[in-house]
Amino acid sequence: MSNSEFSRGKIKVPPCRDVIENIIKPGIESELSRSFKSYLLVNKAHVVMLKEKGILSEDEARQILAANEELLTGSADFEVDYEKEDIYFNIENYVIARTGREIGGKLHTARSRNDLCATVTRISLRERLLEMAMLTNELREVLLDLAQKNTSSVMPGHTHLQPSEPITFAHYCSAIAAALQRDFDRLIHAYHTTNICPLGGTSMGSSTFAIDRTLTSDWLGFNGPIDNSLDCVASRDYVLEGLSALSIMGNTLSRLANDLYVWATPYYQFIEVDDAVAACSSIMPQKKNPWTLEYIKGKAAHLEGYFVSASSALRATPYTHCQDASAETPEPLYQAVDELRACLKLMKVTLKTLKTNSSKMLQAANNTYCTVTELANTLVRVDGISFRSAHHVVALVVDHMLKQGLLAHEIKLETVQDCYQLAMGEKSRISEEDLQNALNPIHNVESKNILGGPAASEVTRQLQVLDQQLKSDQKTLKALNDDVNQATERLNEKANEIIKAV
């Protein structure tokens, strides 16, 4: 089919070179790499439905489907013509060239580019959300394995980057795993918001052809059709929800990366990243920079930016089809997925090869004052005083020790008694054994075996719960993928029956 036979409706001239170079060509190239097969899948479902409803004859459907299949299998002599505005018109042009205008031209019956592109965007997004969910689960698995190996790795927990109370590295990993579980939940929620079908909404006002939107929705693996034809082509809030889920996960990964980044410094030495994920300085040979962690922290900022970009593109657009809503709003999503994919893979390999230094962790727990909260708790239990009074006594103890340049594990019973006498006007009933148990970070941790605590038995329980939820989430993810794959198989069977019919 020659260029002269391609109709632009009432428009009499082809797009100008600036429009081609800045709008059409980038758009087509993006669609070719991201969603070309999705267009062909939607074509297939639409044509089969039109045949089922008697809107196309079997022979018309067979010819259109055969041409569409050539494009799907890569056997077509398909060359993009940028003057044909977009990828859809190039596809339609190929079908018409193979079947003739009076047959191939019926492909677009009861359909618009508006609902077609909306459907393709939702298919492309749901694929990417499921991929991100899969990568999230892979990371969760590695993190839980790392935690299981470190239930006895006692370390100081921190608030405000100051030593607070003793925990274990496994307890920390358990917290991150819980956050990643919520990230997974958000991805799946975004998937269900996305996985409803706009096909059949046409330009925005539905159709007078007696189409069956439920059939196409089922064959394309959607949960169901969108109820309102205007909402079919206007809605892009699912893009924002998907980007929100990606951005929030970026924050989870960035916060994890930042903690590891700090703990990898020579001042802490709690962990060491593997040489394969580190970089050296071009001038300072002693350097071992945690390369992947810096990358992840930086990319999280980009993810937030993509959400703002999409939200800004969608804001103040009319609630109907328009290019800024339909084309520009989803664009940051693809970039965000590329960035998050890299972050998830890099964090996975970083954790899988991470070395923990339990002796340095325990040394820090001993040398800092993270155990003295338990000393205050002990005074409450032994002497029956209020926690606020015990807090005041221990503050006097800490102040005295710091002025002497001494560490927490060097606190003497005599010092505690002197400070207690000063604050309370009497002696404490605390014993040497009470004092040592309070100041021992291992004993401190193991005493915290209530729900959510860092004791090894309780963290093991937490990890078991997280592992069970991970296994359940993996089944959920598999079921969602299976639903889509099985729908595609049913559609292919229907289409092949038509193509092979004589």
Side-chain angles (χ1 to χ4, degrees), residues 339-354:
E339 302 255 26
L340 185 61
R341 181 189 296 113
C343 288
L344 286 165
K345 289 184 176 182
L346 289 172
M347 184 58 80
K348 177 184 172 183
V349 71
T350 301
L351 294 181
K352 200 161 191 172
T353 58
L354 191 75

Side-chain angles (χ1 to χ4, degrees), residues 50 86 282 285 314 326 344 358 387 480:
L50 292 177
D86 60 24
S282 65
L314 190 60
S326 66
L344 286 165
S358 298
F387 181 80
L480 294 176

